């Protein structure tokens, strides 16, 4: 069993070497063939999805699956159109492979190029959503990375049909390699995949926090993702309160189920009595449950109309509600807010509302998070809004890619040294030649084909 | 015991937040004070080192330590001068923190900045060499990273004196934080440090391959380094043989004890009979032991003067000799060479000797290594030669930093979004505003202080 999986992984790893050198035109042709294959086989996809939906409905009736999961599983004709559009968007993206990042003359005729290249073999482990396969496969193909897909068992039929259509379309394109994309199916395979650090260079999880955490805790392969999104907004005593109302409302209410929504509101004591009552009324009207520290509870306790306020406990400061629940704390200073955020937060996204430029600067420097917002909603922290085209994930990792990550997160670089029989011995000892270390404005292609 | 270590690590982690915002001038003043402290206390350092040397000599006589280790341990007056020069070189390096990497207008008045920042808390675990402390501390200080040092017990006295001098000099500089640098001493602490993935963001090992491998296998913290350096040179049938002799000799003989020296020579069958005998004679004269595959053994077997040739076994292709030993294999094609390299190599540094431009291009694309050399010695793969000023390490990792890594490997970035009360709700729904996603030619400093 494990052997068969390992064979698939080794096949993909081997193919990854070839895929790294496939031309842009060939990759774009493969992507267009993939889009076309989905368009030509809508009925087949809907039919397979129907089987998954029926099985999921049964499990739901037994209480083993939630309606939310059934919804995520559902593929409609317009969702297929979305998949097709997504693939065609990737065709439009510039080929990120083989770009000269830096060029340096070490000595006359000895030139060092830093050149972008694919990471190699990516493992994507995802829960129900069948739209992960076209999205990730198109990004990986364009960036020259081979990919192992491991989807949830609930989407077994949908994933299989979609994967086969895409993979056949890609592999039948002239100049493409075969074996670069592999689909794993049974549930036991997750742990097998996590153990294959000898072959898999990067894991991308798509699923719940618990799911990501499990992966992070059970593999030596780097994981691009985040387990928690405990985001804060700090309303400073020098805040423009009209901005504060807008940002605090948006950060919590606009879409609370996601990782970049605010979970804890920190308010400077100086302005708390002025700011909080109106803010609380806005939240209350929107159905937000408030969990207050002692001071904010006292302030709000004087207002009798509020439907849902409670006292916060220590755990609240560490909780990602992903829901219309908000913890509120009054702080004496920005420093206290910063310490709270760095201590209880998840280093994802945190905001300050202030008009003081020095405080803005200090806040950006001292908050140890992947996104820091100045007078703007935490909800902006997202690959699409950050202009990345397609999002690979949001990383709270501090190595490689951090924050919302686009296709650039699937790339690394290699150094290419172009010489002419050069040897280090000439640069050592008493008569050592000196390195020039002069910046070059050249591309690696010129250097390799010139000679 | 563990608690005390954890306290030190937590103190450093807290200090890392402050250190991230210390000004360039303050950091440079601290560095100059560090250099001065070493210069003012040469006798004290030599005295402490003498104690370590005496203890090491005793262990050597008992056969528990090698002469090489005693040599590495030894601090001389000129080595202290080298440490001082190294620190002053770091003062000259540009401050890498707070650089605007990218700037994008999301919409009018809503600007996204990608800004460089320190990684946070670095753990440096090293074997005997006492010169690691000044080198790494100066690089980490300049890049705003707090650092935990864990040295080998053989250099206990030297490390303690050098660390205390440097740390006191740094901490007594006006504007510097305290607690950012910590020295651990006893041997048991290595495993404790490896377990502190909650606090330590990156580990840098300085020691033998086995030492690095142990760390990689026993921690969830990312490790910047490489366990093996199995480097290859492939001599193509279209090689300029005069270049081949130079590069192949230099790659093996110039300094064989290091990771970027060649371990396996691959020769195209077409030119093997012409090339190999003279090459083998050069190696033989230099005292290189050759381990040959069947074909190369047949070719060399006809030459009776060679002192040291033997048949290679399978293990030879996976062995880093770090010595005047070389394995030699004849291949039928460049493709066979590439497959051998990707399969048996360590993805460190590999070279091709050829005059064919298409082959050069293909080789750079298909070799999955951090440095690929075209007609140049593998020995060039090194931070100093690559113009990095100071080398943090050579990484065969494919995430974050790859190849020779300078101070840039101690940095990551954060996103700073500068708004004016902006909310995502305005960009959602039927009347959604559109993002402009227009490239800006601005620095984050302008945006933060402008408003």
């Amino acid at each position: 069993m494990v052997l068969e999986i390992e064979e698939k992984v080794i096949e993909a790893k081997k193919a990854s070497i070839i895929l790294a050198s496939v031309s842009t035109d060939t990759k774009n042709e493969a992507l267009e063939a993939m889009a076309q294959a989905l368009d030509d086989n809508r009925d087949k996809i809907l039919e397979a999805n129907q089987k998954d939906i029926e099985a999921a409905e049964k499990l739901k009736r037994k209480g083993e699956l939630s309606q939310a999961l059934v919804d995520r599983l559902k593929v409609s004709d317009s969702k297929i159109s979305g998949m097709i559009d997504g693939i065609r968007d990737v065709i439009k993206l510039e080929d990120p492979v083989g770009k000269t990042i830096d060029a340096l003359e070490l000595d006359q005729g000895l030139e060092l190029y830093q050149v972008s290249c694919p990471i190699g073999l990516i493992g994507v482990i995802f829960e129900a959503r069948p739209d992960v396969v076209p999205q990730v496969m198109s990004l990986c193909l364009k960036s020259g990375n081979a990919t192992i897909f491991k989807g949830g068992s609930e989407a077994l039929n949908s994933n299989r049909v979609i994967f086969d259509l895409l993979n056949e379309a890609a592999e039948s394109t002239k100049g493409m390699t075969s074996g670069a994309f592999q689909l794993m199916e049974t549930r036991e395979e997750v742990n097998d995949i996590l153990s294959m650090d000898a072959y898999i260079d990067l894991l991308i999880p798509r699923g719940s926090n618990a799911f990501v955490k499990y992966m992070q805790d059970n593999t030596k392969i780097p994981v691009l993702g985040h387990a928690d999104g405990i985001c804060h907004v700090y309303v400073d005593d020098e805040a423009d309160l009209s901005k504060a109302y807008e940002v605090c409302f948006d950060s919590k209410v606009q879409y609370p189920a996601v990782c970049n929504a605010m979970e804890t509101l920190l308010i400077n004591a100086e302005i708390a009595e002025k700011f909080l009552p109106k803010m609380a009324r806005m939240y209350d009207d929107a159905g937000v449950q408030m969990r207050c520290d002692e001071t904010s509870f006292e302030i709000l306790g004087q207002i009798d109309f509020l439907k849902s306020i409670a006292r916060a406990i220590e755990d609240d400061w560490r909780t990602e509600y992903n829901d219309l629940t908000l913890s509120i704390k009054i702080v004496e200073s920005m420093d206290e807010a910063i310490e709270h955020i760095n201590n209880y937060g998840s280093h994802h996204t945190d905001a300050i509302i202030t008009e003081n430029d020095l405080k803005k600067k200090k806040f950006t420097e001292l908050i140890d998070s992947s996104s820091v917002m100045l007078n703007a909603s935490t909800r902006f922290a997202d690959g699409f809004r950050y202009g990345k085209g397609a999002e690979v994930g949001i990383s709270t990792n501090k190595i490689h890619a951090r924050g919302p990550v686009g296709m650039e997160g699937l790339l690394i670089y290699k150094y290419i040294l172009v010489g002419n029989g050069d040897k280090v011995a000439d640069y050592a000892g008493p008569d050592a030649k000196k390195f020039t270390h002069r910046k070059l404005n050249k591309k690696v292609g010129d250097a390799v084909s010139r000679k």
Side-chain angles (χ1 to χ4, degrees), chain A:
Chain A
M1 186 61 164
V2 175
L3 235 182
E4 193 195 301
I5 298 163
E6 197 172 356
E7 279 164 11
K8 281 185 175 185
V9 172
I10 290 173
E11 191 186 355
K13 184 75 178 184
K14 279 194 175 167
S16 77
I17 299 288
I18 310 295
L19 188 58
S21 72
V22 169
S23 75
T24 308
D25 285 348
T26 300
K27 291 191 283 192
N28 285 342
E29 276 164 37
L31 287 165
E32 179 52 37
M34 285 159 60
Q36 199 59 52
L38 295 189
D39 203 16
D40 292 345
N41 293 279
R42 287 170 182 264
D43 289 345
K44 207 168 157 187
I45 297 167
L46 294 174
E47 206 175 288
N49 183 247
Q50 192 51 39
K51 280 190 218 160
D52 289 331
I53 295 292
E54 279 163 20
E57 293 280 3
K58 261 189 218 160
L59 289 171
K60 198 192 85 181
R61 280 191 296 274
K62 285 198 247 168
E64 290 171 18
L65 265 187
S66 68
Q67 181 60 41
L69 197 139
V70 178
D71 292 346
R72 281 208 296 279
L73 206 54
K74 178 89 187 151
V75 176
S76 62
D77 204 55
S78 77
K79 271 202 185 169
I80 297 175
S81 298
M83 295 177 193
I84 294 167
D85 291 348
I87 296 172
R88 292 200 169 123
D89 283 345
V90 173
I91 295 177
K92 289 179 216 146
L93 294 177
E94 200 185 357
D95 189 335
V97 178
K99 299 266 162 235
T100 300
I101 300 165
D102 213 353
L104 188 75
E105 182 193 82
L106 301 195
D107 196 357
Q108 220 187 327
L110 183 62
E111 298 178 351
L112 181 69
Y113 294 88
Q114 187 184 21
V115 179
S116 66
C117 64
I119 287 180
L121 179 57
I122 313 286
V124 180
I125 307 188
F126 55 107
E127 290 182 319
R129 300 179 178 278
D131 48 349
V132 167
V133 176
Q135 194 204 2
V136 173
M137 196 193 288
S138 53
L139 283 169
C140 284
L141 192 152
K142 186 76 180 235
S143 59
N145 287 287
T147 319
I148 303 289
F149 293 91
K150 172 73 190 98
S153 58
E154 302 82 4
L156 190 74
N157 295 291
S158 317
N159 287 337
R160 171 51 69 195
V161 165
I162 293 171
F163 175 85
D164 284 346
L165 287 169
L166 295 173
N167 194 44
E168 277 162 28
E171 293 195 347
S172 63
T173 303
K174 193 167 168 275
M176 265 293 293
T177 176
S178 68
F181 302 104
Q182 303 277 348
L183 178 69
M184 309 287 185
E185 279 167 336
T186 65
R187 210 171 234 311
E188 302 74 64
E189 286 167 354
V190 167
N191 282 323
D192 295 329
I193 290 172
L194 296 182
S195 72
M196 292 196 185
D197 55 294
Y199 307 109
I200 299 176
D201 298 299
L202 181 68
L203 284 176
I204 301 177
R206 287 287 182 91
S208 67
N209 295 353
F211 179 77
V212 176
K213 186 93 178 64
Y214 179 81
M215 285 177 58
Q216 289 173 332
D217 287 347
N218 289 281
T219 185
K220 290 200 292 177
I221 306 169
V223 176
L224 194 161
H226 62 280
D228 287 313
I230 303 177
C231 302
H232 302 74
V233 178
Y234 164 62
V235 181
D236 186 50
D237 54 327
E238 295 180 76
D240 175 338
L241 294 192
S242 64
K243 293 178 191 171
Y245 294 123
E246 297 272 19
V247 170
C248 293
F249 189 80
D250 192 77
S251 294
K252 181 71 246 180
V253 178
Q254 200 263 337
Y255 191 30
V258 287
C259 61
N260 58 15
M262 166 174 56
E263 306 298 354
T264 300
L265 173 60
L266 302 168
I267 305 168
N268 190 292
E270 285 286 321
I271 49 108
E273 293 195 50
K274 190 169 166 206
F275 170 72
L276 188 52
K278 180 175 163 193
M279 190 74 242
R281 192 177 310 202
M282 288 168 71
Y283 282 140
D284 203 57
D285 288 347
V288 176
Q289 296 201 325
M290 287 166 272
R291 310 228 176 137
C292 301
D293 76 332
E294 194 173 332
T295 318
S296 59
F297 194 80
E298 271 174 30
I299 295 171
L300 294 181
Q302 300 161 13
I303 309 173
D304 51 9
F305 64 82
L306 292 176
K307 289 183 287 288
S308 180
I309 65 165
R311 283 294 293 277
I313 58 169
E314 172 73 11
D315 265 1
D316 280 302
W317 315 120
R318 300 191 189 280
T319 300
E320 181 177 9
Y321 305 112
N322 274 338
D323 204 344
L324 286 173
T325 303
L326 177 72
S327 55
I328 300 177
K329 183 176 182 178
I330 309 297
V331 294
E332 293 303 316
S333 65
M334 181 174 81
D335 284 343
E336 190 187 334
I338 290 170
E339 199 172 332
H340 180 99
I341 293 170
N342 283 335
N343 189 15
Y344 292 101
S346 62
H347 311 290
H348 188 298
T349 301
D350 301 288
I352 185 172
I353 314 297
T354 187
E355 296 298 303
N356 181 314
D357 286 342
L358 282 177
K359 285 187 184 166
K360 285 182 198 168
K361 182 165 183 288
K362 195 172 173 193
F363 192 82
T364 62
E365 284 174 351
L366 296 183
I367 289 293
D368 184 22
S369 297
S370 64
S371 286
V372 182
M373 314 316 229
L374 307 180
N375 294 326
S377 170
T378 57
R379 291 273 298 116
F380 280 105
D382 158 282
F384 166 67
R385 291 173 198 127
Y386 277 14
K388 292 189 177 290
E391 184 172 277
V392 168
I394 293 190
S395 166
T396 51
N397 209 309
K398 291 171 83 177
I399 303 296
H400 184 53
R402 190 184 196 197
V405 179
M407 199 161 59
E408 80 279 5
L410 301 177
L411 294 160
I412 184 71
Y413 55 82
K414 58 171 75 165
Y415 287 102
I416 297 174
L417 182 63
V418 185
N420 215 2
D422 299 80
K423 52 192 202 287
V424 163
D426 290 338
Y427 299 87
D431 294 323
K433 289 173 78 176
K434 293 251 184 224
F435 290 105
T436 58
H437 288 154
R438 190 169 63 88
K439 273 259 178 202
L440 294 174
N441 191 11
K442 285 176 67 180
K443 302 228 180 303
V444 65
D446 310 334
V448 171
S449 57
R450 188 199 49 184
K451 304 209 172 184

